[in-house]
Amino acid sequence: MSEATAHHTDTPQRRRQINLPYVGLAPAWLLMIFALIIPILIIIAVSFAVRGAYGGFDWGFDLSGYRQILFNEGWTGEMEFTPQYLIIILRTILLATVTTVLCLILAVPVAYWIAGQPGHRKSVLVFLVTLPFWMSMILRVYAWMIILGKDGPLLRFFEFFGAPSGMTLMYNDGATLAAMVYTYIPLMVLPVFASIEKLDGTLIEAAHDLYGNRWTTLRRVILPLTAPGIASGVILVFVPAFGAVLEPTLMGGGKQMMMGSLIQLQFGGGRNWPFGAAIAMILMMFVMLVLIGLALRSARNEGES
């Protein structure tokens, strides 16, 4: 068989070998395009659109959605600095960060304790950690409204020990934070538990044999070896906490607003879609920066190891 004939017969087979993986991935690509890329492109376009006269938006190019985050147009047409939305952004970053840190502090000992239990008991405990996900989130938040409410058991407990009768535990950042920690802590416990369960127990014994106390063992052995699970938990908690809507709306009473509830307000009663889309873009860019930072840190740690 001549070289030309061999080339003629091999080319279609080689082409099929090259094209088949791409054809097989076509459903995934279509799903990503229609469910992820196109909605993001629409939000980007709306963030630069013009606010409609009766709400919504009109297609065009206008930076007023982004400008409104820091400035507001006064009666004389001059731009005045207004920090109210900047405060909401900073409060959102603070609450999401504190929620993630509290979830981590609470989840590490819980996950470590569960990992040390016998097999059958461990399965039951993991099931109990996932149990809140079987219930609607709004019901869980309403349960916390009952616990912290005016006639709730926690307030009655404080009043029994002399707290003033007019004291309230609701409609503040503390109530929002309590509901957010309760809502998202299973997302931290599960990846940390999976990471601790794979931990070699002989390394902990070796640390104790070398006269390392519990704090040293935790800091020098357990935390570094469970860093991938901790990083996964941080991402799983921080991202949804950053865009939380129900907790600040119900527990904060709508007074202590976060970025998620601000976006909902602008797309709803505010009818200012370009501004709402601009806030959504700020939220998405901040989350992307955090994820890129964690990915670079993880890659650097793997390179050093």
Side-chain angles (χ1 to χ4, degrees):
M1 183 180 294
S2 66
E3 184 178 352
T5 306
H7 177 74
H8 178 72
T9 54
D10 289 342
T11 300
Q13 183 179 1
R14 187 180 298 113
R15 187 179 298 121
R16 283 197 297 273
Q17 291 175 349
I18 293 174
N19 292 337
L20 277 177
Y22 295 99
V23 174
L25 291 174
W29 281 106
L30 289 175
L31 182 63
M32 286 185 61
I33 291 172
F34 285 101
L36 183 64
I37 297 176
I38 290 180
I40 290 176
L41 292 177
I42 291 175
I43 294 298
I44 293 174
V46 172
S47 70
F48 291 104
V50 181
R51 183 181 183 182
Y54 301 100
F57 69 96
D58 296 325
W59 289 115
F61 182 79
D62 192 0
L63 294 175
S64 61
Y66 291 93
R67 191 168 55 238
Q68 191 175 346
I69 296 173
L70 293 177
F71 300 97
N72 194 13
E73 187 174 353
W75 290 102
T76 59
E78 297 179 353
M79 303 307 295
E80 300 175 350
F81 175 70
T82 51
Q84 55 181 340
Y85 298 120
L86 185 62
I87 292 173
I88 292 174
I89 293 174
L90 294 178
R91 180 191 293 124
T92 303
I93 295 173
L94 178 63
L95 284 178
T97 303
V98 173
T99 299
T100 306
V101 172
L102 289 178
C103 285
L104 179 61
I105 293 173
L106 296 173
V108 169
V110 171
Y112 186 78
W113 179 72
I114 294 176
Q117 299 301 309
H120 64 284
R121 191 181 301 171
K122 191 186 304 182
S123 302
V124 173
L125 293 172
V126 172
F127 169 75
L128 291 176
V129 170
T130 61
L131 194 59
F133 289 116
W134 295 35
M135 189 185 302
S136 171
M137 182 183 292
I138 193 168
L139 292 180
R140 283 181 276 161
V141 176
Y142 270 108
W144 269 99
M145 293 179 71
I146 294 174
I147 294 172
L148 301 179
K150 185 177 179 181
D151 298 323
L154 193 58
L155 191 57
R156 293 289 182 89
F157 175 79
F158 288 142
E159 289 178 352
F160 179 78
F161 286 98
S165 58
M167 178 180 173
T168 178
L169 300 176
M170 285 290 296
Y171 310 128
N172 52 48
D173 286 343
T176 302
L177 191 62
M180 290 174 64
V181 170
Y182 167 76
T183 301
Y184 300 121
I185 194 171
L187 299 176
M188 182 71 80
V189 171
L190 293 177
V192 174
F193 162 74
S195 188
I196 291 178
E197 195 180 28
K198 297 177 183 176
L199 192 63
D200 189 355
T202 58
L203 297 175
I204 299 176
E205 294 178 2
H208 289 307
D209 292 341
L210 294 173
Y211 303 103
N213 55 30
R214 291 185 177 182
W215 168 246
T216 303
T217 304
L218 175 66
R219 186 170 57 88
R220 303 292 294 273
V221 178
I222 297 176
L223 290 181
L225 293 178
T226 57
I230 292 175
S232 301
V234 168
I235 294 172
L236 290 174
V237 171
F238 183 79
V239 173
F242 201 65
V245 176
L246 276 178
E247 294 86 353
T249 301
L250 297 178
M251 303 297 291
K255 299 176 182 178
Q256 306 297 331
M257 195 172 289
M258 292 179 64
M259 290 179 71
S261 49
L262 178 61
I263 293 171
Q264 183 193 35
L265 177 65
Q266 297 303 320
F267 278 92
R271 300 182 62 79
N272 191 351
W273 287 27
F275 181 51
I279 294 290
M281 291 304 303
I282 296 294
L283 188 150
M284 189 177 70
M285 285 188 289
F286 186 84
V287 170
M288 287 182 64
L289 287 176
V290 172
L291 295 180
I292 291 172
L294 289 174
L296 292 176
R297 182 179 177 82
S298 177
R300 187 169 60 249
N301 291 337
E302 289 180 1
E304 292 175 353
S305 62

